Amino acid sequence: MSEREPPRDDSQRLRGALRRALLEVEVDGQRGWVTITVGPGPAQVRAISEDGDEGGPLVEAALEALGFGDPSGALLGPQASQPPGLRRESLLPQGDARADAPLSTAGVAFEDLVTAIVRVGLDEALEAPSVEAARERLLSACATPAPLGLARFLGRLRAGLAERDPVTVTRLLDEASRFASAARQRAPSPTDLKRIQIMLGPGRDGVSSVSDCVLVELSREWVAGVERHSVERRLLVDSRSGELLVECRLQKGTASLGPCPRVLRVGLAEIESGPAPRRIHILQYEVGHALDASSFDSIAQHAERDLSALRARYQRDIKQYPGLAEPHALFAPARVDRDLGLQLCDASGDALPLRRRGDEGRSAALERACAEVSPEWVVGTLHERPEGLALDPCGVALRHDGAVRYLRLR
């Protein structure tokens, strides 16, 4: 990718501006496509060939053809005044071109990522230079460090490409296209605004404050972000309402301290709007007592028991936010079926299988724990596979000799 900064020329004022161009260029018998993007910030003019090359005769010829360079290496063109970083106060269109620029740049970068992946195909996209270049352009268009929503999006995309999972990758690319469309709107819809906030971080209107609540931390794990394991995700449940919430933070070298599970008495927290489970930021809290019978009973009262309703909720969340929703479930089975591996069944006999990854992992740990006893409830992440919905469990409540204990699965 070639990044160039044209000299400032404050005397020029254009009514329109070039944002992106795809040129077919031929030099000395070599022909190829070059994408040129013109955006705000110091690195205003960006060029990359279809092979991911950052320079070379094709790139130089394309730049020269559009007036951004000449054989001597001088660059021409207007200078933008806006830095490339996405600032929180500039996430949403405000009617001012300078405020719109960072958001529109992120939208173009998302479009470039979709184009690069579709061009090379699912089987080759993980290691393709053009895809990696598009990913880096997207990161450079946003704040540093990457917002949590964007970091998790990129982590899931990399995992989907590594597993060659067409369902996950298609939904993530759908989400990227929807974001790009929302970024172009002068008057985004409420759904578009929420999509931007989930991906890039909420403004104050995207956060609600809560106080004096009791949360139970059920799991703690590192999940993929910009790097392979760079987001710590804690799953919590509100013992009074049964709502599942997640608290996420970018890797800073150490994980959260203290036991898990545990009870947190929260004095003040902020909850972002978005698909369930919503993201929570706990600001004031104290660690309460260990999980007791009343905690288990309260959670069990709110657990889901109807798999048809659970599937409908899953489809509703995925339809609205195909690449941002990560549906979880806290499910209390009426019974378990062990004939074809452990399956969680509701009262009608409908079954929810486990997401298995070989003979080890959390699903295998749950099967061992439930070899002789049925679970009171199970919590985990929902995943869709060709054969239907499956659960990747992260914790289970088990009853032994009349007492309930919680087992965190790893």
Side-chain angles (χ1 to χ4, degrees), residues 39-74:
Q44 183 180 359
V45 182
R46 301 173 176 181
I48 185 171
S49 73
E50 60 183 306
D51 296 326
D53 292 336
E54 301 177 358
L58 295 181
V59 169
E60 295 295 333
L63 289 167
E64 182 180 351
L66 291 182
F68 290 113
D70 61 32
S72 66

Side-chain angles (χ1 to χ4, degrees), residues 201-222:
R204 300 311 305 168
D205 58 342
V207 172
S208 59
S209 296
V210 295
S211 59
D212 191 22
C213 62
V214 178
L215 302 179
V216 178
E217 183 181 342
L218 297 176
S219 75
R220 187 184 300 161
E221 61 182 330
W222 290 103

